[in-house]
């Protein structure tokens, strides 16, 4: 298909927020060069009470549009996740080999995928099914990272946010849009962040040997045994 | 933040490919109304040898741009995944409550997230870490689905694709862009699809009770015990 031009690397970050610059290949995948922001620490972020104006370089309006485009609706979890990504990114600073880890499958993966070059499918986002509302951005070569989490002690002045996050019955009658507005008002003041050092990169770099399943003919990792998971009894579907 | 307008639902699909129409809320999340395509079955798809012209309503050029924007580079796996999503979608037909399941964490999650309203974070995409290059689109209410997979027996005429998929040593000297072009030439002819019936929807609808970890103070699911996974010894970071 010579008529189809394959674009150069790094287009995604331009599309996303203009913060990144195109990188070069490494580790068999494109390397996103994360920008070098002003050195910041938690204390220099928007304090509680001061309305934030941006998330990862996006205006709040642009963030809301992108959230509804990607996630499908205005989501308290993705909005909070946006401030967490922003806080971790500011804390981390320069990270040429950016990876991300989220500690829940709910909402936070979309905040990371919307705002950084890290996706589940490209392997730069790892998802831990811990049920914890926290995430870490880190450089997979230096293993320096920044972990952000929602601080329940900071929710006292934001009852709508507290009722949502703590799953109180009072939240059931509240529209999600109202909770989103409350989170936007609280901004970075709801989030805590601190530097961490990764024990190891989470990305599994190894390509494992595969083999054809004798029952269905489809390829699967040899380490699973002869039969693939579906033919071994785990199928989620009937033919 | 009254100044920030929260958009209506369904913007994502307009952004994605103009195939979907805005839906209404249901199940506590927005419902994407998937369009009703012409009834099709596998035999009516692009036969091997006939070059495809579209993936999920996108021109191949637009698909390539979107892949590089979201995934970060031209990826054989995401390209193949695009044809698999397209094949499953054509086979499935009308599915007002669309969900997706992918059977590997590699590449396929991004094809689904690029081309459908289903994301990991909104819960409409489930990811099975089976290492199988297959995916299913289904309606979570009717449980009717369509599963698509790469058929190795169809790769005989596409040695670059076979070398890539079967991880042969010959693939190591080949640029990914070349493999992508070979997959674009093969198109739907490389993919098989068949109707399936889901045994159950994969989306976990239950909100589980959470509790504060006495060590770190962060909230986590009660079912994990007193300590959160990190404080119980699974932390991936040091402070």
């Amino acid at each position: 298909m010579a008529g189809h031009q394959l674009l150069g690397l790094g287009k995604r970050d331009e599309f996303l927020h203009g913060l990144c610059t195109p990188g070069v290949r490494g580790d068999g995948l494109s390397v996103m060069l994360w920008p070098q922001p002003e050195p910041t620490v938690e204390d220099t972020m928007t304090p509680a009470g001061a309305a934030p104006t941006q998330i990862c370089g996006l205006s709040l309006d642009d963030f809301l549009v992108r959230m509804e485009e990607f996630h499908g609706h205005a989501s308290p979890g993705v909005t909070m996740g946006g401030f967490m990504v922003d806080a971790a990114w500011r804390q981390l600073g320069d990270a040429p080999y950016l990876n991300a880890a989220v500690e829940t499958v709910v909402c936070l993966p979309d905040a990371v995928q919307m705002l950084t070059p890290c996706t589940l499918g490209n392997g730069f986002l790892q998802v831990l099914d811990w049920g914890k509302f926290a995430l870490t951005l880190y450089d997979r070569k230096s293993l320096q990272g920044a972990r952000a989490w929602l601080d329940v002690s900071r929710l006292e002045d934001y009852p709508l946010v507290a009722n949502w996050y703590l799953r109180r019955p009072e939240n059931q009658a509240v529209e999600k849009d109202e909770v989103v507005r409350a989170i936007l008002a609280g901004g970075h003041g709801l989030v805590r962040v601190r530097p961490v050092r990764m024990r190891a990169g989470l990305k599994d770099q190894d390509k494992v040997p595969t083999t054809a399943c004798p029952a269905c003919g489809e390829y699967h990792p040899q380490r699973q045994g002869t039969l693939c998971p579906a033919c071994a009894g785990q199928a989620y579907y009937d033919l």
Side-chain angles (χ1 to χ4, degrees), chain A residues 211-220 228 237:
Chain A
T211 187
C213 171
C216 69
E218 299 177 34
Y219 275 69
H220 69 107
C228 78
Y237 52 83

Side-chain angles (χ1 to χ4, degrees), chain A residues 26-66:
Chain A
D27 297 339
L29 285 167
S30 61
V31 173
M32 302 298 179
L33 291 178
W34 205 241
Q36 188 157 16
E38 295 293 312
T40 54
V41 295
E42 184 179 357
D43 290 343
T44 68
M45 289 184 191
T46 313
T53 59
Q54 290 196 325
I55 294 176
C56 292
L58 290 174
S59 73
L60 297 188
D61 283 334
D62 287 346
F63 173 81
L64 293 172
V65 170
R66 185 164 300 168

Side-chain angles (χ1 to χ4, degrees), chain A residues 46-215:
Chain A
T46 313
T53 59
Q54 290 196 325
I55 294 176
C56 292
L58 290 174
S59 73
L60 297 188
D61 283 334
D62 287 346
F63 173 81
L64 293 172
V65 170
R66 185 164 300 168
M67 173 169 60
E68 299 209 21
E69 287 172 345
F70 186 70
H71 189 73
H73 62 117
S75 154
V78 175
T79 306
M80 188 69 80
F83 287 113
M84 290 163 65
V85 171
D86 188 84
W89 166 63
R90 290 169 186 249
Q91 176 67 57
L92 181 59
D94 190 29
Y97 300 92
L98 188 79
N99 275 34
V102 295
E103 298 180 18
T104 176
V105 297
V106 178
C107 294
L108 292 188
D110 283 5
V112 170
Q113 294 182 115
M114 282 165 50
L115 296 169
T116 81
C118 305
T119 70
L120 183 64
N122 71 18
F124 294 137
L125 166 64
Q126 282 86 25
V127 179
L128 300 172
D129 189 11
W130 283 5
K132 293 190 75 177
F133 212 72
L135 59 85
T136 298
L137 300 185
Y138 68 98
D139 185 294
R140 67 180 167 279
K141 298 225 169 177
S142 75
L143 297 183
Q144 296 299 317
R147 181 172 180 271
W149 69 99
L150 189 156
D151 185 351
V152 172
S153 73
R154 298 188 175 190
L155 301 186
E156 287 180 9
D157 294 334
Y158 300 89
L160 284 179
V161 184
N163 291 344
W164 159 74
Y165 184 67
L166 298 173
R167 299 176 181 178
R168 291 176 177 149
E170 301 93 302
N171 184 56
Q172 292 178 5
V174 179
E175 289 290 331
K176 284 185 179 177
D177 288 1
E178 291 184 61
V179 183
V180 168
R181 288 192 188 91
I183 293 168
L184 289 174
H188 298 90
L190 306 175
V191 171
R192 292 189 67 189
V193 62
R194 66 179 297 170
V196 295
R197 180 165 177 81
M198 300 294 288
R199 293 182 178 174
L202 293 175
K203 183 170 166 58
D204 183 0
Q205 301 277 4
D206 297 333
K207 294 207 171 186
V208 300
T210 57
T211 187
C213 171

